[in-house]
Each structure stands twice: as structure tokens, then as C-alpha cells.
């Protein structure tokens, strides 16, 4: 009797892969190994209106790749619409310990399904859609090395993480994608600070500012007086509840 080897806290990896050890060498084409059944992973960072047009386009390209590779129909499609692969959130564990991590439930489900044979092989749209943090990439690579099934991109030259050269290239590309995200975050934060220091609106125009027309972005005196009062009360120790109760 074998026991499960726990590699990730949120799911167990079986002691033995149930579908056998199929290994692609450097020169094998992924079409030579048709996963039954494969999965598809789609992600887009921002979708303010919830239209899912971006992930729908990614699915079209993933389906095209699946057809060209002569793989069977997708058993599962993992969609993470309007989901960042970079922004971390504070997570408090049951024991009180605090972690800072990117919350991507569909990505974690994909790893679990790949480990347990629910899917055997993955087509992802592009590496920067799939992973932005090296730790997420290493989780995926560990599984690929274990299950021996192709995990390939629909774009970018058909990168296949089952090949060691592609894995090393993916690591370098992931680091560059992370730097790009951090550079963008720094520039945006500096832009927001400058706008705040100069009394300019930023993002969605909120209460206290003209929202439409030629005076859009200018202050509304009656509204801004209330906003100033709210902030003053808060800085003086008032709670959100007490402030709201006072206004109501």
C-alpha cells in the first residue's frame, strides 16, 4: 500500500502516475503523444465589464492548436477571467500564520487534476497568461516532470514544458514577465501619487467630482465638503459605522 506524497498543501500528488510514464525527448513533436483527455488554461488580467471576450479569443486559439496537434476534445477548460497572476493577497492560515500569495483557484485546480489524471496534458494560451511568478511555474514544472505529459503553448513557438530546454527558457521568460509586472506597478503607483498630490482624480470618478461633460474631473463643492469631513472624522478615530450613522 502506498501513501500519497504531499507536495502542495492544497492537494496530494499520487505516489504513482496512473497513466504510465510517457516521456517526450527534445525532438519529439507533441502531436506524437495525444493526451486523453487534455485540458485548456485561459486567463486575462482585467475584464472590467465581465464580457469574457479575451478568454473567448484565447479558447479559439487553444482549440486551433488542439486540432492541429490532433489531440482529443478538451475534458476541462480552466477559465480565470479578470484574474491577476501577479497581485498578491494577504492570507491568514488557521494557525494564525500569514502568507502573501496570488489567489488563482482554477490554476491550482489544473495542477490537482493533472496530478490525479483528470486531465493528461495541457494547452495554455501563452506563458505570460499561464504564470507570472516563478513559484507557480516551478509547481507546474514539478508536475510535468512527474506525470510525463506535454504542457504546451498555443502561441510563442509551441513551447512544451516537458522538454528541458523549453523549461529553462520558460524560467527566464517568467522572470522577465515578473519584472515587467513590477515595473508597471511601480510606474502606476508613482502616477497615482503624483495625481493625488496635485488634487487630480484617478481611476473611476467618484463622489465629489463632476462625472460627465466638459467639466468632468472638476470638484463639486458641496460634495467635496462632505468627503473632507468623512476623512477628518476617520483620521480622528471615527469608525466607518459611526461616520455612516452620523450622516444617515
Amino acid at each position: 500500500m502506498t501513501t500519497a506524497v504531499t507536495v502542495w498543501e492544497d492537494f496530494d500528488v499520487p505516489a504513482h502516475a496512473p497513466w504510465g510514464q510517457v516521456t517526450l525527448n527534445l525532438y519529439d513533436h507533441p502531436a506524437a503523444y495525444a493526451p486523453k483527455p487534455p485540458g485548456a488554461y485561459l486567463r486575462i488580467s482585467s475584464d472590467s465589464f465581465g464580457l469574457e471576450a479575451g478568454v473567448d479569443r484565447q479558447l479559439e486559439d487553444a482549440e486551433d492548436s488542439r486540432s492541429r496537434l490532433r489531440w482529443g476534445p478538451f475534458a476541462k477548460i480552466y477559465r480565470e477571467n479578470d484574474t491577476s497572476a501577479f497581485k498578491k493577497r494577504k492570507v491568514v492560515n488557521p494557525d494564525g500564520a500569514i502568507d502573501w500569495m496570488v489567489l488563482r483557484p482554477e490554476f491550482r485546480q489544473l495542477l490537482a487534476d493533472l496530478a490525479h489524471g483528470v486531465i493528461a496534458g495541457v494547452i495554455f494560451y501563452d506563458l505570460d497568461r499561464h504564470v507570472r511568478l516563478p513559484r507557480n511555474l516551478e509547481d507546474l514544472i514539478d508536475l510535468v516532470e512527474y506525470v510525463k505529459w506535454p504542457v504546451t503553448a498555443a502561441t510563442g513557438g509551441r513551447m512544451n514544458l516537458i522538454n528541458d530546454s523549453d523549461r529553462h527558457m520558460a524560467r527566464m521568460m517568467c522572470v522577465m514577465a515578473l519584472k515587467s509586472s513590477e515595473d508597471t506597478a511601480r510606474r502606476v503607483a508613482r502616477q497615482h501619487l503624483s495625481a493625488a498630490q496635485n488634487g487630480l482624480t484617478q481611476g473611476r470618478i467618484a463622489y465629489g467630482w463632476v462625472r460627465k461633460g466638459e467639466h468632468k474631473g472638476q470638484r463639486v463643492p458641496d460634495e467635496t465638503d462632505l468627503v473632507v469631513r468623512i476623512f477628518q472624522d476617520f483620521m480622528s478615530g471615527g469608525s466607518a459605522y459611526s461616520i455612516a450613522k452620523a450622516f444617515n
Side-chain angles (χ1 to χ4, degrees):
M1 179 177 181
T2 58
T3 58
V5 180
T6 301
V7 180
W8 295 273
E9 293 183 357
D10 49 349
F11 63 88
D12 295 331
V13 176
H16 299 286
W19 44 82
Q21 300 293 305
V22 180
T23 305
L24 297 181
N25 64 46
L26 185 62
Y27 302 102
D28 283 331
H29 192 277
Y33 299 84
K36 296 180 180 180
Y41 180 82
L42 322 168
R43 185 189 68 83
I44 192 168
S45 298
S46 179
D47 182 12
S48 301
F49 299 100
L51 301 177
E52 300 196 12
V55 289
D56 285 343
R57 289 191 295 269
Q58 291 181 17
L59 179 58
E60 291 176 2
D61 291 344
E63 286 283 9
D64 180 67
S65 293
R66 181 195 61 75
S67 176
R68 290 175 182 273
L69 293 172
R70 298 180 181 178
W71 289 7
F74 288 128
K76 293 186 69 173
I77 297 174
Y78 304 84
R79 302 170 70 104
E80 289 195 304
N81 190 55
D82 200 23
T83 302
S84 173
F86 169 71
K87 295 180 180 178
K88 298 177 183 178
R89 298 182 183 180
K90 179 180 178 181
V91 177
V92 180
N93 297 312
D95 61 358
I98 295 176
D99 289 327
W100 292 91
M101 59 190 300
V102 175
L103 300 180
R104 299 171 60 193
E106 285 297 302
F107 176 74
R108 302 304 300 183
Q109 186 62 54
L110 179 146
L111 296 181
D113 289 346
L114 191 62
H116 288 278
V118 177
I119 57 172
V122 177
I123 294 178
F124 56 90
Y125 179 70
D126 190 79
L127 186 66
D128 72 343
R129 300 297 90 199
H130 205 23
V131 290
R132 284 263 172 166
L133 297 180
R135 70 176 65 177
N136 292 156
L137 177 61
E138 292 303 327
D139 283 350
L140 179 60
I141 286 175
D142 286 346
L143 262 179
V144 171
E145 291 179 325
Y146 176 79
V147 300
K148 312 297 186 191
W149 277 109
V151 175
T152 185
T155 64
R158 307 277 187 209
M159 173 181 286
N160 186 0
L161 297 181
I162 205 168
N163 295 329
D164 57 357
S165 60
D166 284 2
R167 290 197 296 270
H168 294 309
M169 179 60 68
R171 289 182 173 109
M172 290 186 286
M173 291 174 66
C174 183
V175 169
M176 295 307 295
L178 175 60
K179 175 171 173 51
S180 176
S181 294
E182 291 178 341
D183 288 344
T184 299
R186 184 186 65 253
R187 290 193 298 267
V188 171
R190 185 63 184 86
Q191 180 183 357
H192 287 176
L193 174 61
S194 178
Q197 290 172 334
N198 289 280
L200 301 176
T201 59
Q202 44 191 320
R204 184 174 61 87
I205 297 179
Y207 184 83
W209 309 87
V210 178
R211 297 164 183 77
K212 297 180 179 179
E214 59 179 331
H215 300 295
K216 180 179 179 180
Q218 295 183 11
R219 298 181 185 181
V220 180
D222 292 341
E223 293 183 1
T224 53
D225 289 344
L226 296 177
V227 173
V228 170
R229 178 183 163 188
I230 290 171
F231 274 87
Q232 288 175 339
D233 291 348
F234 183 78
M235 296 301 293
S236 298
S239 66
Y241 175 78
S242 65
I243 294 171
K245 184 177 180 181
F247 276 100
N248 289 335

